[in-house]
Amino acid sequence: MSVDTSKVATSNRTDAATASKPGPAGSLASWADDRLGLATMMKKNLRKVFPDHWSFMLGEIALWSFVVLLLTGVFLTLWFTPSMGEVTYEGSYDQLRGIGMSEAMASTLHISFDVRGGLLMRQMHHWAAMIFIAAMMVHLLRVAFTGAYRKPRELNWVIGCVLLLLGTLEGFTGYSLPDDLLSGTGVRAADGFMKASPVIGTYMSFLLFGGEFPGESIIPRLYIVHVLLIPGILLALIAAHMLLLVYHKHTQWPGPGRTEQNVVGFPMLPVYAAKAGGFFFMVFGVVALMGGLLSINPVWKFGPYDPTKVTAGSQPDWYMGWPDGALRIMPSHLETVLFGYTISWNVLIPILLLPPMMLVILMLLPFIEGWITGDKRDHHLLQRPRNAPTRTAVMVSLMTFYGLLWAAGGNDIIAIKLHASINQITYFMRGAVFLGPALAFWITRRWCISLQRHDNEKLLHGYETGIITRSPEGQYAERHLPINEKTAYTLTARERDEVFTVGSDTDAAGVAAPNSRSERLRARLSRWMYVHNVQKPTVAELEEAHHHAEHEAELAAGLDHPVDGHQFDDHRLRDTDDVPLRDH
Amino acid sequence: MSIETPPHESHVPTHREAEPIPDPGLPPHHWRPTDVDPKAEKRAERQIAAMFIAAMISAVLFVVAYFSFEVGDNWDTFAGMGASTVALGVTLGLTLLLIGIAIIHLARKLMSDVEMVEMRHSAASPPEDREATIEALNAGLDEAGIGRRPLVRNTMLGAVGILGLPAVVLLRDLAPGDELDISKLAHTIWEPGMRLVRDVVGTPILASEVEMGDLINAAPEALFPTEENGYEELHGAELQVNKAKGAIIIVRMEPENIIPAKGREKWTVDGIICYSKICTHVGCPISLYERTTHHVLCPCHQSTFDLADHAKVIFGPAARPLPQLPLAVDEAGYLVAQSDFTEPIGASYWEREKQ
Amino acid sequence: MRVLNRTAGRLSRHRRGPLAGLAVLLLGLLISGSLYTALAPAQADNQPSETDQVAQGKELFLASCAFCHGKNGEGMPTVREGYQVGPSLVGVGAAAVDFQVGTGRMPMASPGAQAPRKPVAFNDEETAALAAYVASLAPGPAIPNESDYSIEGLSDEEREEAISRGGQIFLTNCTACHNFNGRGGAMPRGGYAPNLHGVEGKYIFEALLTGPQAMPNFSNGNLSPDEKRDVIAYLGSIQDTPEYAGFTLGGLGPVSEGMFAWLAGIGSLVGAAIWIASHTTRSKKSKVNA
């Protein structure tokens, strides 16, 4: 059966649209259209349909916090002086008066104490940055867990990964600008990272700092990277990300009437625009509340950067926490001298190899999965995480790895808050980063498969009513009732996994296919990926189960009274038809 | 309803059987109370308008707070917090939240919520478009004749490619002149006879005044010029660089606890021992000293060094001991350096051993 | 607590509380009734006399401290995990005793590298007696006078200067362990540098002077008394300064900030997204087109 398009609505209005006389707005519109031809483009997109689900709005949090970042950032540039020129602070903050510092630090203090709303804007900017990257990561997890990165959206996934990287770099450059003790310590560590790069490291450091650390150039250089270079690329990539979203149309959850061929939801104008616009104000509002109430990076307490000072709890912002954790749990003495050249594995591995490797793995996920499954079809229906147990387990395993390193990055704070020893925490983490992900993989996969079984149970035998009946023989049994058609359909609206086999290993003439080795690997991986999965029941299985259920019902009907457990009270069984699908 | 195979054929052999449960199709639309009950509709309207009005009031309060709470020298405070920041943040936040919530409430309650269906298209272009594009491309390339003229093509690629060279070379002066001289990493401002002075205050340290268990965060005297010591005043980058490399910690412990490294037997003065303050891991200043264990911990990545045993690494990611500064006492009894550090201080780098 | 502190030399200097009358009375009695009092050194106008105090201190010492520190305060040689179980108290001075006992750190509940602050076990008189006894073992740092650690006596300008200089000394010498906000931090093997907020100036001065537990000394040859005073003044000033930026989230730096970004920020915004996308209530009625 092909999709019936006759019922496709183009409007959700209930009354007919009527042409009205062009008012001044109409005249302006035709003036513009005469020159720009906007109508052709807008006719397609104004009523573009977006499906509605909370998890589809996570990326929006990132988008709107980026807008907040642009707005607050522009405000801050009006007063910030990106210079390392020496000045003596004579501003309002008593404890630092008379202290020498860079102009960057002095202007940050000026924004904080002498510009009304300046401190609020600084804190909003910082909170928005933290939320921006956090939202990108939750959005990434949603996309990965639902399989939304499959064809045709792989490239948009890659763009998203690059956005995450750029967001992190943007955050780090911003963190360094105030030139306070914490940010300076961070820059000095970054200098150490650079110097650990083989061959070119020392020169990279000297070129970036304009000589030896700290020099006088780093703040102005980071500033231009922070306010122009990276935001420019971010903007361009965000635009590309959104254009591809519009071109592909949003994915949707399967359900009655929601298929691979259509998208069901609300039109861009007015509902989606209102919801998205409203959400922008909410994100902005939450950031403003946090900026007004919660202190973040109190630079005046850190004081100006001085390369001889340091504070306990010297940590990067959260998104740099996991490489920092990797750095902390490296064993001692990992450095080799080869032909007189020093290779610092203790920095190389956790900072210069691990994060880029994680990023590459992340970017390749859809391609690796696509290759193993050999699936070349377009996918617009999302998968529930349980229905792709191996993918879900891989993601949880990566999350566990990330989370453990993240915790290792806060080992000193964990130590004082839990009265533990940093040494013990570090020893534990050294093992846990290897064992944890493996364990998480195994648990998650088994868990998903159990959930799949549970779904099949529901399809075949109905849901558990919680009603216990006792047979005349004294046997107790829980009564199961069939789930409604909508739920049942939604549960079955998934594909059967097919293990790739090397069937056509040799062609008719007995000649091995050219790629047979990689094909065999692929078959093995495909088997590993799918073999334990539980497939949805077939028509025959369902019919048999229903026959069985009918038989049971007949037996029950033979009794004197219906035994749904509520025969003596007013309660009727849950009217499963009334339960909205989305609640499941 | 079966899910149709998309136009471009999948190569996975799929034997499609009937779906176990047919698609029941989109469920009928249920109306909201606001659609069918004029009273509910009015109520929602009032709620939304009330939120917009509250947002306006909050915005006005923002302006009031802006002008009435003082910042600068004499902050107004509220419950121990800066009144201006808190008041501006709360009023701005409420204004924005109220606007946002009201708009979303409007969308949820009063805008039509009949779901619409839009058909998808394949992301791929239709085959005829592809063909036409390839044809156009070929025609273009053909007319350009680049394919037929390999000499032109190759020299053109070479010429454009070589543009990378000026681009890279232009960056050379990011560290102009001898600023790029990496051998400077091997030396600090310390020199024979330079006094050790307390950081921040810049006073020299009498060896006799250092007590058992003391930790002194110290610096080279050259960074604290006075008329008496006659050092030249340093500024800007020069000062910062020398601070960054010259910082030291001085501790005093029982002389018998010190296990001197070979050749360093005469580097201490009566249990007073001095190390670079810069961690050999990635260069954080380090002075979390435990006098009972003689361990010093780096707050950045927890590398731990045993100062009694030539600052060897006993825990954490660092690979090398902290460089030790050889100490002596001058005729006035003040602590002085015997020489500069004998190895580069701070984080490792590629050419470290070559210098 | 400080009001009730009747250690040697303090009462005569500036106690003007209800105890002053009693003190004057006692002083009068002591002067008139005892020749010994007249012969005593000028600052020994304390009640009980110094030898009595030392004797009382010794008694208390034998009962409560000698188990670890030895009968004569000579200490115990046992070294466990890098710390000496009962270090020698010879030469630690009255300041060390006033700090350790006055903050309740000593006597310890059980030996360990870390001695946490807890309710005090001795009253001020007993503490003073213990301090006098330990001070009598060998010369050591004395308990500081209030003028040593307070900037009360300075002019406004001097105070401001003292605070900003104290800040720089604090950031150079103290923040590495106690954090930029004086909130404390982690040390190796389960140790920690304690939170400095709310700690009396006298105890900070004494801690700097004597280096309690694993903390290094900042003796007067290291940080001069004025510099110590400035650090104490700075610490006081950051506690008195309003939190310009709102709640401090524990003052622990980026870790707690990151936690709030996730819990408060992402938490509330995901909550908002769930609300936005949720279905509103439905009516059983069908729509009547008016």
Coordinates of all heavy atoms in Angstrom, one line a residue, chain B residues 226-273:
Chain B
T226 N 66.1 47.4 44.2 CA 66.1 48.5 45.2 C 67.4 49.3 44.9 O 68.3 48.8 44.1 CB 66.1 48.1 46.6 OG1 67.3 47.3 46.8 CG2 64.9 47.3 47.0
E227 N 67.5 50.5 45.5 CA 68.8 51.2 45.3 C 69.9 50.5 45.8 O 71.0 50.5 45.3 CB 68.6 52.6 46.0 CG 68.0 53.6 45.1 CD 67.9 55.0 45.7 OE1 68.8 55.3 46.6 OE2 67.0 55.7 45.4
E228 N 69.6 49.8 46.9 CA 70.7 49.0 47.6 C 71.3 47.9 46.8 O 72.5 47.8 46.6 CB 70.1 48.5 48.9 CG 71.1 48.1 50.0 CD 70.4 47.5 51.1 OE1 69.2 47.9 51.5 OE2 70.9 46.5 51.7
N229 N 70.4 47.1 46.2 CA 70.9 45.9 45.5 C 71.3 46.3 44.0 O 72.0 45.5 43.4 CB 69.9 44.7 45.5 CG 68.6 45.0 44.9 OD1 68.5 45.7 43.9 ND2 67.6 44.3 45.4
G230 N 70.8 47.4 43.5 CA 71.3 47.9 42.3 C 70.8 47.2 41.0 O 71.3 47.4 40.0
Y231 N 69.8 46.3 41.2 CA 69.3 45.6 40.0 C 68.5 46.6 39.1 O 67.8 47.5 39.7 CB 68.5 44.4 40.3 CG 69.4 43.2 40.8 CD1 69.4 42.9 42.1 CD2 70.2 42.5 39.9 CE1 70.2 41.9 42.6 CE2 71.0 41.5 40.3 CZ 71.0 41.1 41.6 OH 71.8 40.1 42.0
E232 N 68.4 46.3 37.8 CA 67.7 47.2 37.0 C 66.2 46.8 37.0 O 65.9 45.6 37.1 CB 68.2 47.0 35.5 CG 68.2 48.2 34.7 CD 68.8 47.9 33.3 OE1 70.0 47.4 33.3 OE2 68.1 48.0 32.4
E233 N 65.3 47.7 37.0 CA 63.9 47.4 37.0 C 63.5 46.7 35.7 O 63.7 47.2 34.6 CB 63.1 48.7 37.2 CG 61.6 48.5 37.3 CD 61.1 49.1 38.7 OE1 61.7 50.0 39.3 OE2 60.0 48.6 39.1
L234 N 62.7 45.6 35.9 CA 62.2 44.9 34.7 C 60.8 45.2 34.5 O 60.1 45.5 35.5 CB 62.4 43.4 34.9 CG 63.9 42.9 35.0 CD1 63.9 41.4 35.2 CD2 64.7 43.3 33.8
H235 N 60.3 45.2 33.2 CA 58.9 45.5 33.0 C 58.3 44.5 32.0 O 59.0 43.8 31.3 CB 58.8 46.9 32.4 CG 59.0 48.0 33.4 ND1 58.1 48.3 34.3 CD2 60.0 48.8 33.6 CE1 58.5 49.2 35.1 NE2 59.7 49.6 34.7
G236 N 57.0 44.5 32.0 CA 56.2 43.8 31.0 C 56.7 42.3 30.8 O 56.9 41.6 31.8
A237 N 56.8 41.9 29.6 CA 57.1 40.5 29.3 C 58.3 40.0 30.0 O 58.4 38.9 30.5 CB 57.2 40.3 27.8
E238 N 59.4 40.9 30.0 CA 60.6 40.4 30.6 C 60.5 40.1 32.0 O 60.9 39.0 32.5 CB 61.6 41.6 30.4 CG 63.1 41.0 30.3 CD 64.1 42.2 30.3 OE1 63.7 43.3 30.2 OE2 65.3 41.9 30.4
L239 N 59.7 40.9 32.7 CA 59.5 40.7 34.2 C 58.7 39.4 34.3 O 59.0 38.5 35.1 CB 58.7 41.8 34.8 CG 58.2 41.7 36.2 CD1 59.4 41.6 37.1 CD2 57.3 42.8 36.6
Q240 N 57.6 39.2 33.5 CA 56.7 38.1 33.7 C 57.5 36.8 33.4 O 57.3 35.8 34.1 CB 55.5 38.2 32.7 CG 54.6 39.3 33.1 CD 54.0 39.2 34.5 OE1 53.7 38.1 34.9 NE2 53.8 40.3 35.2
V241 N 58.3 36.8 32.3 CA 59.0 35.6 31.9 C 60.0 35.2 33.0 O 60.0 34.0 33.4 CB 59.8 35.8 30.6 CG1 60.8 34.7 30.3 CG2 58.8 35.9 29.4
N242 N 60.7 36.2 33.6 CA 61.6 35.8 34.6 C 61.0 35.4 35.9 O 61.5 34.6 36.6 CB 62.6 37.0 34.8 CG 63.6 37.1 33.7 OD1 64.2 36.1 33.4 ND2 63.7 38.2 33.1
K243 N 59.8 36.0 36.2 CA 59.0 35.5 37.3 C 58.6 34.1 37.1 O 58.7 33.2 38.0 CB 57.7 36.4 37.4 CG 57.8 37.4 38.5 CD 56.4 38.0 38.5 CE 56.2 38.9 39.7 NZ 54.8 39.4 39.8
A244 N 58.1 33.8 35.9 CA 57.6 32.5 35.6 C 58.7 31.4 35.7 O 58.4 30.3 36.0 CB 57.0 32.5 34.2
K245 N 59.9 31.8 35.4 CA 61.0 30.8 35.5 C 61.8 30.8 36.8 O 62.4 29.8 37.1 CB 61.9 31.0 34.3 CG 61.3 30.7 33.0 CD 62.3 30.5 31.9 CE 63.2 31.7 31.6 NZ 64.1 31.5 30.5
G246 N 61.8 31.9 37.5 CA 62.7 32.1 38.6 C 62.1 31.7 39.9 O 62.8 31.6 41.0
A247 N 60.7 31.4 40.0 CA 60.1 31.2 41.2 C 60.6 29.9 41.9 O 60.9 28.9 41.3 CB 58.6 31.0 41.0
I248 N 60.8 30.0 43.3 CA 61.4 28.9 44.0 C 60.6 28.7 45.3 O 59.9 29.6 45.8 CB 62.9 29.2 44.4 CG1 63.0 30.6 45.0 CG2 63.8 29.0 43.2 CD1 64.4 30.8 45.6
I249 N 60.8 27.6 45.9 CA 60.4 27.3 47.3 C 61.6 26.9 48.1 O 62.4 26.2 47.6 CB 59.3 26.3 47.4 CG1 59.6 25.0 46.5 CG2 57.9 26.8 47.0 CD1 58.6 23.9 46.7
I250 N 61.6 27.5 49.3 CA 62.7 27.1 50.2 C 62.1 26.4 51.4 O 61.1 26.9 52.0 CB 63.4 28.4 50.7 CG1 63.9 29.3 49.6 CG2 64.6 28.1 51.6 CD1 64.2 30.7 50.0
V251 N 62.6 25.3 51.8 CA 62.1 24.7 53.0 C 63.3 24.3 53.9 O 64.4 24.2 53.4 CB 61.3 23.4 52.7 CG1 60.1 23.7 51.9 CG2 62.2 22.3 52.0
R252 N 63.0 24.2 55.2 CA 64.1 23.7 56.1 C 63.6 22.5 56.8 O 62.5 22.4 57.3 CB 64.4 24.8 57.1 CG 65.6 24.4 57.9 CD 66.2 25.5 58.7 NE 67.3 24.9 59.6 CZ 67.6 25.4 60.8 NH1 67.0 26.5 61.2 NH2 68.5 24.8 61.5
M253 N 64.4 21.5 56.8 CA 64.1 20.2 57.4 C 65.4 19.7 58.2 O 66.4 20.3 58.0 CB 63.6 19.2 56.4 CG 64.6 18.8 55.4 SD 63.9 17.7 54.1 CE 63.1 18.8 53.0
E254 N 65.2 18.7 59.0 CA 66.4 18.2 59.7 C 67.4 17.7 58.7 O 67.1 17.0 57.8 CB 66.0 17.0 60.6 CG 65.0 17.3 61.7 CD 65.5 18.1 62.8 OE1 66.8 18.3 62.9 OE2 64.7 18.7 63.6
P255 N 68.7 18.2 58.8 CA 69.7 17.9 57.8 C 69.8 16.4 57.6 O 70.1 15.9 56.5 CB 70.9 18.5 58.4 CG 70.5 19.6 59.3 CD 69.2 19.2 59.8
E256 N 69.6 15.6 58.7 CA 69.8 14.2 58.5 C 68.7 13.5 57.7 O 68.8 12.4 57.2 CB 69.9 13.4 59.9 CG 68.7 13.5 60.7 CD 68.7 14.6 61.7 OE1 69.4 15.6 61.5 OE2 68.0 14.5 62.8
N257 N 67.6 14.2 57.5 CA 66.5 13.7 56.7 C 66.8 13.8 55.2 O 66.1 13.2 54.4 CB 65.2 14.4 57.0 CG 64.6 14.0 58.3 OD1 65.0 12.9 58.8 ND2 63.7 14.8 58.9
I258 N 67.7 14.7 54.9 CA 67.9 15.0 53.5 C 68.8 13.9 52.9 O 69.8 13.5 53.4 CB 68.6 16.3 53.2 CG1 67.7 17.4 53.8 CG2 69.0 16.5 51.8 CD1 68.3 18.8 53.7
I259 N 68.3 13.3 51.8 CA 69.0 12.3 51.1 C 69.6 13.0 49.8 O 68.9 13.2 48.9 CB 68.2 11.1 50.6 CG1 67.3 10.6 51.8 CG2 69.0 10.0 50.0 CD1 66.2 9.7 51.4
P260 N 70.8 13.5 49.9 CA 71.3 14.3 48.8 C 71.6 13.5 47.6 O 72.1 12.3 47.6 CB 72.6 14.9 49.3 CG 73.0 14.0 50.4 CD 71.9 13.2 50.9
A261 N 71.2 14.0 46.4 CA 71.5 13.4 45.2 C 73.0 13.5 44.9 O 73.7 14.4 45.5 CB 70.7 14.0 44.0
K262 N 73.5 12.7 44.1 CA 74.9 12.7 43.8 C 75.4 14.1 43.3 O 74.7 14.6 42.4 CB 75.3 11.6 42.7 CG 76.6 10.9 43.1 CD 76.8 9.8 42.1 CE 78.3 9.4 42.2 NZ 78.7 8.7 41.0
G263 N 76.4 14.6 43.8 CA 76.9 15.9 43.4 C 76.2 17.1 44.0 O 76.5 18.2 43.7
R264 N 75.2 16.8 44.8 CA 74.4 17.9 45.4 C 74.6 18.0 46.9 O 73.8 18.6 47.6 CB 72.9 17.7 45.1 CG 72.6 17.8 43.6 CD 71.1 17.8 43.4 NE 70.7 17.7 42.0 CZ 69.5 17.7 41.6 NH1 68.5 17.7 42.5 NH2 69.2 17.6 40.3
E265 N 75.7 17.4 47.4 CA 75.9 17.3 48.8 C 76.1 18.7 49.4 O 75.7 19.0 50.5 CB 77.1 16.4 49.2 CG 76.9 15.0 48.9 CD 77.2 14.6 47.4 OE1 77.5 15.6 46.6 OE2 77.1 13.4 47.0
K266 N 76.6 19.6 48.6 CA 76.9 21.0 49.1 C 75.9 22.0 48.7 O 76.2 23.2 48.6 CB 78.3 21.4 48.7 CG 79.4 20.4 49.3 CD 80.6 21.2 49.7 CE 81.5 20.3 50.5 NZ 82.5 19.6 49.7
W267 N 74.7 21.6 48.3 CA 73.7 22.5 47.7 C 72.8 23.0 48.8 O 71.9 23.8 48.5 CB 72.9 21.8 46.6 CG 73.7 21.7 45.3 CD1 75.0 21.7 45.2 CD2 73.1 21.5 44.0 NE1 75.3 21.6 43.8 CE2 74.2 21.4 43.1 CE3 71.8 21.4 43.5 CZ2 74.0 21.2 41.7 CZ3 71.6 21.2 42.2 CH2 72.7 21.1 41.3
T268 N 72.9 22.5 50.0 CA 72.0 22.9 51.0 C 72.7 23.7 52.1 O 74.0 23.5 52.2 CB 71.3 21.7 51.7 OG1 72.3 20.8 52.2 CG2 70.5 20.9 50.7
V269 N 72.0 24.5 52.9 CA 72.6 25.2 54.0 C 71.9 24.8 55.3 O 70.8 25.2 55.5 CB 72.5 26.7 53.8 CG1 73.0 27.5 55.0 CG2 73.2 27.1 52.5
D270 N 72.5 23.9 56.1 CA 72.0 23.5 57.4 C 70.5 23.1 57.3 O 69.7 23.6 58.0 CB 72.1 24.8 58.3 CG 71.9 24.3 59.8 OD1 72.0 23.1 60.0 OD2 71.6 25.2 60.6
G271 N 70.2 22.2 56.4 CA 68.9 21.7 56.2 C 68.0 22.6 55.4 O 66.8 22.3 55.2
I272 N 68.5 23.7 55.0 CA 67.7 24.6 54.1 C 67.9 24.2 52.7 O 69.1 24.1 52.2 CB 68.1 26.1 54.3 CG1 67.9 26.5 55.7 CG2 67.2 27.0 53.3 CD1 68.4 27.9 56.0
I273 N 66.8 23.9 52.0 CA 67.0 23.3 50.6 C 66.0 24.1 49.7 O 64.9 24.5 50.1 CB 66.7 21.8 50.7 CG1 67.1 21.1 49.4 CG2 65.3 21.5 51.1 CD1 67.2 19.6 49.5

